[in-house]
Amino acid sequence: MSGTLVITLLSGGAMGALAVGAGYVLGWANRKFHVETDPRLDAVLAALPGANCGGCGFVGCAPYAEAIVTQGAAVNKCPVGGPACAAAVAAIMGVDVQQSWPYRPAIHCRARYAERLQRGDYRGEPSCSAANLIGGVQGCTYGCLGFGDCRKACEFDAIRIEDGLAVIDYEKCVGCGACARVCPRNIISMVPFKHARMLIVACSNLDTGRDVKAVCTVGCIGCTACTKRSPLFKMVNNLPVINYDEYDPEHMDATQLAVEKCPMKGLIYVGKPRAADRAAVKDEPAPTLVKADFKTTVDDTEWQG
Amino acid sequence: MDYLTTILLLAVSTALINNMVLHYFVGICPFIGVSRRVDTAFGMGAAVTFVVAIASALSWALTRFVLAPGAPLSSWAAARLGYAGAPDLSVLNYIVYIFVIAWAVQLVEMYVRKFFPALYKAFGVFLPLITTNCLILFVCLEVMKHVPSAAGAPEPWGLDLTLVYAISAGLGFLIAIVIMAGIREELDLCDVPAPLRGPGITLLVAGILALAFLGFTGMDAGLARWLKAPAADAVPAAPAEGAQP
């Protein structure tokens, strides 16, 4: 036989023998070192999409599957698999899929510059966290400061500041909660959106009516008109709180009455704009789109000496 | 004595002077990735030491008896097939080494999963990634150069020296990664400037550590001198002590 053929045969034979030997040892070890695992773990892992995106809040699909099986984590957290995946996992685990609502932020203040009283001349660092440290920026110590810390925290460009009031664009918002975490006055809360438009209490002021009137023309005066008309509201520290567990968008008659009777008109609906809202602003000129310029986006520090 | 001297010198120069991580810069990936906590880092070092010992011993045996030019097993098989010359299968070196390393890592992974579940969790993806730890292939290739064969290695190693080399290479990695983990645990409490946080300060620390290990350079020559002539030190010392009283 020729030399090349012999070398080829030898190479193939050596690799083949090595593969057989190694495979045999690994097969033996696999049986010897076998770890008993919950069969549901493998089933759940197979039902998950395997994208390992971390959208559920766990590191990957395997840790999430383990959390479902061992710690009873919710089965509907996978954003990739969606409801079908949740149903499959629920079937494996023998549980019901919990109803989950998208949580979106709500800003509990509706006073713009015109409605805020006792405003001072503030020339410091233009951020809410800095302005919140000192008194005298504005009379209301609960409401929106309007320096836009939430706007800067928003990764999705879903918050704008209109006349000193943060306004959320619910069509862009994904509900990450960054704004609620960054607000130094904690006036942004995450609300379960059971409907495209949700009712919120647009004030955070806990003072009594007299003191509120002194600092704001639209703040809640704690008159309890809403709690008298609808069981949905409860007064906590001079401020109505909506029980979102009982909130049912289909049965809003009593609540609607309360909204209309509110003397300050402080119970407002927020959410995606209705067709009527769109039609109302149809003729207004749309703002021109500003293209990002590298020189201006590279450094967003603001300095006012 | 001479044999022990060789082993000691080989071990010290591999583990400290030519430290795999801090001198050759191989195995950086787990060195940075698993050096957050000392206990995990120690486990990683031990796992790498184990894998490198198994892989290099197997590589040595396979090279010596099958792959090297004129190796006994392949020569015997070639003679059976009617091939006159000494067969050279060293083209297979790399692929066989990788194969052996992957096999050893699989074995270690099963073993660790069975007997050290906490460690298995702490390692995460870095355990199967030992396969691609270049330290191990580096050691195997270094061993390949020293396998006695017909071509003739400059200083042929037996299985004993191979194992000493491999284990001290693993120990050198263990020393480096445990020192690094100790520093990083302290680093968590430090006020690091914002731009350097995370990988930046880690790589700076690794560089300074490598500089520090540069201080071992030349220690092997002094050690060899001291080991070769302990009698020379002892002879003048003995009369001096005897003369004192």
Side-chain angles (χ1 to χ4, degrees):
Chain A
M1 270 197 276
S2 74
T4 319
L5 188 61
V6 169
I7 295 295
T8 312
L9 275 178
L10 280 181
S11 304
M15 289 307 294
L18 204 58
V20 169
Y24 186 80
V25 174
L26 280 187
W28 168 81
N30 194 20
R31 200 166 303 169
K32 179 89 180 167
F33 300 145
H34 183 66
V35 182
E36 287 293 336
T37 51
D38 195 329
R40 292 179 303 173
L41 190 66
D42 295 327
V44 170
L45 199 54
L48 291 173
N52 286 315
C53 64
C56 51
F58 295 90
V59 177
C61 293
Y64 178 43
E66 206 173 312
I68 290 175
V69 173
T70 58
Q71 293 150 29
V75 296
N76 58 354
K77 285 192 178 169
C78 182
V80 179
C85 171
V89 175
I92 294 166
M93 294 302 296
V95 297
D96 292 329
V97 182
Q98 305 94 319
Q99 178 82 52
S100 68
W101 305 107
Y103 275 75
R104 295 288 180 267
I107 293 171
H108 298 284
C109 181
R110 70 183 197 96
R112 305 189 178 221
Y113 283 144
E115 285 99 13
R116 293 181 204 165
L117 307 175
Q118 300 179 21
R119 291 191 63 232
D121 193 8
Y122 176 72
R123 290 188 185 171
E125 173 83 6
S127 81
C128 305
S129 53
N132 190 36
L133 295 174
I134 57 170
V137 178
Q138 65 189 31
C140 181
T141 54
Y142 298 91
C144 182
L145 282 159
F147 292 105
D149 281 14
C150 47
R151 179 178 60 81
K152 286 169 210 151
C154 184
E155 296 278 340
F156 302 93
D157 197 21
I159 299 182
R160 61 186 186 277
I161 307 294
E162 284 181 1
D163 295 336
L165 179 64
V167 178
I168 295 170
D169 183 346
Y170 287 93
E171 291 193 325
K172 289 181 182 168
C173 179
V174 301
C176 67
C179 49
R181 285 191 293 276
V182 82
C183 180
R185 293 192 156 180
N186 294 316
I187 63 166
I188 306 181
S189 72
M190 300 302 285
V191 169
F193 265 60
K194 297 184 171 182
H195 191 255
R197 294 180 64 78
M198 286 292 287
L199 186 69
I200 64 162
V201 178
C203 184
S204 303
N205 200 317
L206 306 179
D207 290 341
T208 48
R210 219 178 111 88
D211 297 332
V212 175
K213 284 251 178 186
V215 295
C216 185
T217 57
V218 294
C220 172
I221 52 174
C223 65
T224 71
C226 46
T227 50
K228 282 173 196 147
R229 289 183 172 82
S230 168
L232 202 58
F233 301 95
K234 208 176 120 201
M235 291 304 283
V236 179
N237 295 330
N238 288 324
L239 199 64
V241 172
I242 298 177
N243 183 357
Y244 285 107
D245 290 338
E246 302 291 324
Y247 190 97
D248 184 358
E250 303 297 323
H251 302 93
M252 295 287 281
D253 299 339
T255 310
Q256 194 56 39
L257 193 65
V259 170
E260 280 156 16
K261 289 291 174 189
C262 177
M264 308 311 286
K265 300 287 172 243
L267 301 170
I268 57 171
Y269 286 95
V270 295
K272 292 189 175 158
R274 291 164 300 185
D277 298 338
R278 284 183 203 279
V281 296
K282 185 163 55 75
D283 298 329
E284 289 183 16
T288 49
L289 197 65
V290 180
K291 279 264 163 84
D293 178 9
F294 180 73
K295 283 200 285 297
T296 60
T297 54
V298 71
D299 183 3
D300 65 349
T301 50
E302 290 171 29
W303 175 250
Q304 296 186 351
Chain B
M1 192 63 212
D2 206 30
Y3 180 65
L4 280 180
T5 310
T6 315
I7 286 183
L8 194 64
L9 277 179
L10 184 63
V12 168
S13 72
T14 313
L16 290 179
I17 302 161
N18 297 333
N19 188 290
M20 288 295 147
V21 177
L22 300 172
H23 183 265
Y24 288 119
F25 305 119
V26 292
I28 296 289
C29 169
F31 178 67
I32 301 296
V34 202
S35 58
R36 274 180 202 286
R37 291 166 47 93
V38 169
D39 48 353
T40 327
F42 186 84
M44 189 61 176
V48 167
T49 308
F50 183 72
V51 170
V52 81
I54 289 187
S56 63
L58 277 171
S59 302
W60 182 88
L62 285 169
T63 317
R64 172 80 181 77
F65 295 110
V66 182
L67 300 173
L73 267 175
S74 48
S75 297
W76 173 80
R80 281 303 182 86
L81 291 170
Y83 179 70
D88 183 4
L89 296 185
S90 47
V91 285
L92 291 180
N93 275 350
Y94 278 69
I95 195 168
V96 165
Y97 295 163
I98 293 286
F99 187 93
V100 166
I101 292 167
W103 176 82
V105 169
Q106 280 298 313
L107 208 59
V108 169
E109 192 183 348
M110 288 178 194
Y111 185 80
V112 170
R113 189 173 179 205
K114 173 82 177 172
F115 294 107
F116 306 98
L119 203 58
Y120 182 78
K121 259 206 149 113
F123 280 159
V125 74
F126 283 100
L127 188 56
L129 273 185
I130 298 178
T131 313
T132 55
N133 189 336
C134 45
L135 187 154
I136 296 167
L137 187 63
F138 182 88
V139 168
C140 287
L141 292 176
E142 205 61 25
V143 165
M144 177 190 80
K145 286 193 223 158
H146 293 282
V147 168
S149 71
E155 3 169 352
W157 286 350
L159 189 58
D160 47 353
L161 286 184
T162 300
L163 273 175
V164 167
Y165 180 74
I167 290 173
S168 48
L171 284 181
F173 177 78
L174 191 145
I175 292 170
I177 197 172
V178 166
I179 292 177
M180 186 67 183
I183 294 175
R184 282 183 76 178
E185 278 190 355
E186 296 297 317
L187 212 57
D188 285 344
L189 308 174
C190 294
D191 185 19
V192 179
L196 285 178
R197 270 176 208 155
I201 194 73
T202 312
L203 289 174
L204 275 183
V205 166
I208 293 169
L209 208 55
L211 275 181
F213 265 67
L214 210 60
F216 285 119
T217 312
M219 209 182 79
D220 51 341
L223 194 64
R225 238 188 351 264
W226 182 76
L227 283 172
K228 283 241 168 60
D233 287 343
V235 167
E241 275 177 5
Q244 204 64 24

